[in-house]
Amino acid sequence: MTFQEQILEGIPSVLPQPKPYESTINHAPKRKEILTDDEKKLALKNALRYFEPQHHAELIKEFSNELETYGRIYMYRLRPDYKMYARPLSEYPGKSDQAKAIMLMIQNNLDYAVAQHPHELITYGGNGAVFSNWAQYRLTMKYLAEMTNEQTLVMYSGHPMGLFPSHPEAPRVVVTNGMMIPNYSKPDDWERFNALGVTQYGQMTAGSYMYIGPQGIVHGTTITVLNAGRKIAKKGEDLAGKVFVTSGLGGMSGAQPKAGNIAGCITVCAEVNPKITHIRHSQGWINEVIENIDELILRVRKAQQNKEVVSIAYLGNVVDVWERFYDENIYIDLGSDQTSLHNPWAGGYYPAGISFEDANDMMANEPTLFKEKVQETLRRHAAAINKHTAKGTYFFDYGNAFLLESSRAGADVMAPNGIDFRYPSYVQDIMGPMCFDYGFGPFRWVCTSGNPDDLAKTDAIACQVLEEMMQTAPTEIQQQMADNIRWIKGAQENKLVVGSQARILYADAEGRTKIAEAFNQAIARGEIGYVVLGRDHHDVSGTDSPYRETSNIYDGSRFTADMAIHNVIGDSFRGATWVSIHNGGGVGWGEVINGGFGMVLDGTKEASKRLESMLFWDVNNGIARRSWARNEGAVFAIKRAMESQPLLKVTLPNFVDESLF
């Protein structure tokens, strides 16, 4: 069968032969044993409902074995035989170009070069899934291939509910992931309901089909490291010779070494998983891999002496790095962590002093002991960081729940008031006041032609727009503009593309709209193919996350989630091609609500109207909320937005004289 025929087949009437388990692929760890016998029976019933009854007797044994062996039913047998990657738009079957673009994005999320655990349909973060099983993938792709622009596909935590009548201006797909009743949103609830096959963790951009490989976080990490460096540097000093220590080389954290190189420092990034370490090295995201701690110490000293710009992966536990660097008196200038501590008991963080293989075995078979070892390691980790910060190291939490889980483990990470953490979130110190409050956030696009020339043309268009805007931009946002122009000019030489021909930069509503309109005009002129617009959920408006995206909201509302819900509702009727709303992305199940979108530009006047309406709302919804929280940068930004758009009328806060108290 051809690729198009396989897509249109959906779930095959004749079952494919079972597939061997490929040990060379990076697989998800076995999930903990959590279902009762009755619940296991229910999980099997739930899986078998995708198949005709004549197949049940054959599949029930196989699915039962998967559940016992891996803790989940992935339906490995149904993995397609074709290569998984983002093909040019023209290669997809279908009646709707918008639907074809969504198929392209789904396949990009599952590309072996992009996905963390491709056979388990997990893109990044240890459990950030596009789908829960391969039947869902096959059925979704079939629906998209059959869809017209008079229909909307409804996605229920990975499961395609079906095609419903709608209209051309409606979203083609509406996605929800993990939207639990609040009292059922604890970590073990995810384990149980995910094992039952009734919900999933979509992370931020995995379950919304908008992940573009590590590049998606490289830009934000570069901006963060640059500005963290500005906090510790003397005037006119750069990051040459300064040491940045962190950990994690997964789908998101793998961006750190590349960002460190762009920022111009020495990056030491620890990772316990050999496969992902060598994948990142082969992709060019890391310069060197070192497995011996003594060798690492010598190498870092040499790099400090020569003021090198180099990224080094240490294949081992980061706690050993923090502790030995202190003993050896190696000064750490910047420190952070990007392990998947939103998922601490299922592979997101590994205990020190135990091999990777033994830790995985303990995780599955002795989960209580594994949790104790993880918490013991977190206490050591925090204690070592505290020793370094006492010497002047600037440490920031990277929004991965490191400080949250460390506090729950009893580590010394609390401020004297017993409420706040002793170290700031990077959003509190950098991204919130400098970017999000002013409306700057991750604007993404994907060239659906798959042609690198199209990407180069869009880079040039975006750069030209930003340079023109900077000429009249107010002083408050000059630094943001300059950093992004620097980024886009170096995008090609830094070889940021993994998977689809995609790009990211930080822009405000004005910048996003002007760049998108310039793309749409270029499409209309036939200079480039269709473009998919999107963003990370980690943005101005899309995410309510009290320990990350909204951690610089100080009016007491940071634990509310109205903004994210407003965001996705508003995007859906203002022209988004697909919208998504998730529980759990970034910092953990039950800790955040986040929304995202995708928009297809096809060169039409209708696309111009949609992008202008939707992008303005998508950003200014969040600025309005941040302004109401009395964030001064956001007050400045929303006043500026009201001047540009007479129909915008936002309630502004009155500031209270502190002396009155």
Side-chain angles (χ1 to χ4, degrees), residues 139-444:
L139 193 53
T140 299
M141 296 294 278
K142 176 180 171 63
Y143 277 138
L144 289 168
E146 295 173 343
M147 172 190 286
T148 73
N149 287 339
E150 298 282 349
Q151 292 172 302
T152 292
L153 173 62
V154 178
M155 297 298 300
Y156 191 115
S157 280
H159 168 66
M161 292 284 284
L163 296 171
F164 289 79
S166 60
H167 56 85
E169 296 305 309
R172 295 283 68 77
V173 181
V174 175
V175 180
T176 60
N177 280 300
M179 299 305 293
M180 305 297 293
I181 302 300
N183 280 349
Y184 300 88
S185 206
K186 297 179 291 296
D188 271 358
D189 291 324
W190 172 75
E191 294 281 1
R192 174 171 289 103
F193 293 113
N194 189 231
L196 285 172
V198 296
T199 195
Q200 71 172 14
Y201 191 96
Q203 253 293 349
M204 287 192 146
T205 51
S208 59
Y209 326 138
M210 191 44 70
Y211 190 68
I212 59 169
Q215 179 189 176
I217 194 63
V218 170
H219 178 269
T221 308
T222 300
I223 297 295
T224 301
V225 174
L226 277 173
N227 285 291
R230 287 166 182 156
K231 284 183 169 291
I232 64 171
K234 297 174 183 176
K235 190 172 182 179
E237 187 180 43
D238 59 21
L239 285 173
K242 289 183 166 54
V243 176
F244 171 41
V245 169
T246 186
S247 57
L249 286 172
M252 298 296 279
S253 53
Q256 294 176 107
K258 175 71 80 173
N261 281 2
I262 296 170
C265 61
I266 301 161
T267 304
V268 177
C269 191
E271 170 59 61
V272 297
N273 185 333
K275 283 182 183 176
I276 196 63
T277 300
H278 293 300
I279 286 171
R280 293 287 175 248
H281 186 236
S282 68
Q283 290 174 337
W285 292 73
I286 301 164
N287 298 132
E288 303 173 17
V289 177
I290 294 176
E291 300 186 29
N292 181 282
I293 192 74
D294 295 319
E295 184 183 338
L296 177 67
I297 289 164
L298 293 173
R299 181 67 186 91
V300 171
R301 283 189 171 135
K302 180 183 176 183
Q304 284 179 306
Q305 291 168 2
N306 297 332
K307 291 193 173 183
E308 293 181 54
V309 176
V310 63
S311 56
I312 304 165
Y314 172 63
L315 186 51
N317 199 291
V318 71
V319 175
D320 297 328
V321 177
W322 283 100
E323 291 178 343
R324 281 296 303 276
F325 276 27
Y326 183 81
D327 293 341
E328 299 290 337
N329 201 31
I330 291 179
Y331 186 74
I332 297 173
D333 299 272
L334 301 174
S336 192
D337 183 86
Q338 238 190 99
T339 49
S340 296
L341 270 161
H342 68 276
N343 183 31
W345 326 126
Y349 185 92
Y350 281 78
I354 304 172
S355 72
F356 181 61
E357 293 76 15
D358 289 347
N360 279 327
D361 182 68
M362 184 188 296
M363 185 196 312
N365 300 312
E366 299 177 275
T368 302
L369 179 60
F370 181 80
K371 181 176 180 179
E372 290 173 3
K373 293 295 183 182
V374 164
Q375 292 192 319
E376 177 186 305
T377 300
L378 281 168
R379 292 191 291 271
R380 279 177 58 186
H381 195 162
I385 289 167
N386 292 343
K387 288 182 178 180
H388 282 275
T389 57
K391 294 167 64 175
T393 298
Y394 175 74
F395 182 86
F396 57 93
D397 183 285
Y398 215 119
N400 63 328
F402 171 72
L403 291 178
L404 181 63
E405 287 301 333
S406 294
S407 69
R408 290 169 175 169
D412 182 14
V413 294
M414 302 308 295
N417 65 12
I419 299 172
D420 299 316
F421 296 126
R422 66 190 296 174
Y423 301 114
S425 154
Y426 75 114
V427 173
Q428 288 176 292
D429 253 19
I430 297 167
M431 302 306 286
M434 184 173 181
C435 294
F436 294 164
D437 284 354
Y438 288 100
F440 282 82
F443 178 62
R444 297 179 175 186

